[in-house]
Amino acid sequence: MPHRASTAPRHALTGAPPPQSAATPGAGRVAIVSASVGAGHDGAAAELARRLTAQGYAVDRLDLLDLLPAHLGRTVQEGYHRMLVRAPWAYQRIYSSTERAGGGGPVARALLRTAQDRVLRALPPGTDAVVSTYPGASRVLGNLRLDGRLAVPVLTYLTDFSVHPLWVAPGVDVHLAAHAVPATQARTAGARDVRVRGPVTDPRFRPCDVRERGRARERFGLPSHAPLALLVAGSWGVGPVRTVARELRDCGAAVPVVVCGRNEALAEQLRADGIDHAFGWVDDMPSLMHAADVLVQNAGGLTSLEAFACGLPVASYRCIPGHGLTNAAALDEAGAAVWIRDPADLKAVLCELIDGPLGRRQRATGFALFAQSPDGCPTAEIARVHRSGAPGRGFRPVAQRHRTKRRLAATAVLASVLCAGAVATGVATTYDGSDLIHAISHRLDPDDFSPEHTSPSEDDHS
């Protein structure tokens, strides 16, 4: 995914008048910081960027993983992926322990600290506000605000229905939530200013009529009249997807249609299992949702919000650990998606969602999420905060200390060792000892710590 990451002079973000912006008069420049961990955080960032651009803002998107030193972001991404696939119990343990601790521990803090200077340098000249769609980015930006090194307002857009404490960074000015349930969780975690402004989804996710539904089924080669259960497992295709697909088929409530994301091997396995409609990456998810009668999901992220926008009832079932379970609970509490905990209930609940009062109630709840007036949506709130500027916090300016290459390299190597310990359980299920060391060390490039380095080149994103 291409990102713009240009070098910003220090004065542009520390209180001095910014350079002339290229945005439409009356608008300004907004940076959005996400992370390519799955697709939900980037999906929300993309839609926020599209809407802000339509309102006349110049928008720059940054990937936090690209701004971690020594290419460490890719190691974190790979370790997280392997942990979900190979050792989900380890992810659950880490998620639960950090939740009880009120956020990330020393490992996360050390790792994110290495990104602060890089994020500050990567923000383009004239940036007037920064929006985060990823908890790690919120922590980095919040710390910069608390230190007085970032003098423009910072907002966090909460992409999930459940809010892990890591999402809530003390220095963030405003947290935006899609519903009252995540808003309450954010306040409980310590967020001071939380505003419910609804979800953001691509406008292609909308209700359809009977003819559109028929065309969508024809396009994907799906049965024209049978009820269809759309099973999604995120961009990585993680979780007990094969088990769920077989259970959907065998219960007889609906024909399973499975989207495996980039996990093509999973799609092939499903076809071998006799699941006729198994897809890898699908570019036109709106049409596939238009073709379906119910969505079965295991993570509760952006795909659930897209289904609500289409008027598609949602069931959470056999959820992945960590955020998958907490999202299922939060969606159930909000009445937006039913959480099926017992496999014996699968058929009855799906029938109720497809053609019963439960499905009608859920459709109404989902549509209500998008009933915000144009001036009450997330991007309108971002614009208001942008216009009002950064609230006075009495921050103590921090003197800019010169960090030598040697000191910065030592800090980043320490962070990488700590990070390796956090992801080693998941990675070790794939690599043996010597391969594990190689998997981590081959990412570390001491030359990458040059003070002149600010952000990846455009070629790094192609």
Side-chain angles (χ1 to χ4, degrees), residues 99-119:
E99 189 173 39
R100 289 191 299 270
V107 172
R109 288 195 296 271
L111 180 60
L112 295 176
R113 195 176 300 120
T114 65
Q116 290 182 16
D117 286 345
R118 289 164 172 259
V119 169

Side-chain angles (χ1 to χ4, degrees), residues 30 44 48 52 130-134 138 154-163 167-168 172-184 186-187 191-200 305 372 375-386:
V30 176
L48 288 172
L52 288 168
V130 188
V131 181
S132 165
T133 64
Y134 180 68
S138 296
V154 172
L155 304 92
T156 287
Y157 175 76
L158 302 167
T159 60
D160 288 352
F161 249 68
S162 68
V163 180
W167 268 111
V168 178
V172 171
D173 298 286
V174 177
H175 290 76
L176 301 177
H179 186 272
V181 167
T184 298
R187 294 187 186 102
R192 294 184 303 168
D193 189 345
V194 185
R195 308 177 191 183
V196 179
R197 293 297 181 265
V200 290
L305 299 176
Q372 299 279 349
D375 62 351
C377 69
T379 46
E381 197 63 43
I382 292 169
R384 274 192 287 271
V385 173
H386 164 266

